[in-house]
Amino acid sequence: MKKILVMACMMFGSTLATNATGTKMATKAPGDKSSKTLASSRAKHLSDQMIRGLHLNNYQSEKIREINLKVAEQITAIEEENAGDQSKIDALSNKVYAQRDRFLENVLSTVQYNDYYGHRKDYTAMDKEFAANADEEENTGEATASTSER
């Protein structure tokens, strides 16, 4: 039944969203909500920007969301595991970004991929800025919550 449903969805130009988990979150408890929430928010934000900027169709949009979720989970884990060691974060992150590039090459058209490749530093910077802002909001929210409890 599941195979039939998947095949039917693929025939109509869309795919079912799949759960792209499997990345370990070493510094926080497995399944930590804040890590998963941050990764999910990062992936959604970046995907939305890429979908608009690269003019993706429905199939490509779903694939980009899956890829970006997996990448965001890996990057978030790298940042948590290596907090304070920016050079190690950068080195490990670059490997993940290179892997993403290979995945995107199979999803995007040649024109779209060339456009992405020319702007990938912008996408990466946008993602880092979003993550930094989300982290600040989370820390501010926790501080506000603890002072309001008194």
Side-chain angles (χ1 to χ4, degrees):
M1 182 70 173
K2 189 175 182 181
K3 286 183 180 180
I4 294 170
L5 182 59
V6 170
M7 289 174 54
C9 288
M10 289 178 70
M11 287 176 43
F12 292 105
S14 64
T15 59
L16 295 174
T18 59
N19 187 0
T21 59
T23 305
K24 294 179 183 177
M25 302 293 179
T27 59
K28 296 194 176 189
D32 185 275
K33 282 188 175 184
S34 64
S35 294
K36 288 184 177 188
T37 301
L38 176 59
S40 178
S41 297
R42 287 176 82 160
K44 181 182 182 333
H45 180 261
L46 182 59
S47 296
D48 290 346
Q49 299 301 317
M50 291 174 77
I51 289 166
R52 281 192 296 272
L54 300 173
H55 308 288
L56 305 182
N57 64 33
N58 288 340
Y59 172 79
Q60 292 171 318
S61 298
E62 289 300 317
K63 289 297 182 183
I64 292 298
R65 289 188 189 284
E66 291 172 15
I67 292 167
N68 283 337
L69 180 58
K70 186 172 184 173
V71 168
E73 289 173 342
Q74 291 172 338
I75 296 297
T76 301
I78 288 169
E79 291 170 348
E80 289 175 356
E81 291 171 11
N82 301 290
D85 188 354
Q86 192 59 47
S87 62
K88 190 168 184 180
I89 291 172
D90 291 341
L92 293 171
S93 295
N94 286 338
K95 290 179 183 179
V96 174
Y97 294 141
Q99 185 179 31
R100 176 178 63 189
D101 290 349
R102 288 191 297 278
F103 287 134
L104 292 178
E105 214 170 0
N106 294 322
V107 174
L108 303 175
S109 72
T110 302
V111 171
Q112 289 169 325
Y113 185 78
N114 288 338
D115 190 24
Y116 158 76
Y117 197 83
H119 291 96
R120 68 189 175 145
K121 288 184 180 180
D122 297 333
Y123 286 122
T124 301
M126 187 184 328
D127 177 52
K128 286 181 181 182
E129 182 180 334
F130 179 83
N133 290 338
D135 222 13
E136 287 176 17
E137 288 177 16
E138 182 179 304
N139 291 338
T140 304
E142 288 174 2
T144 304
S146 64
T147 56
S148 64
E149 290 174 359
R150 293 179 187 176

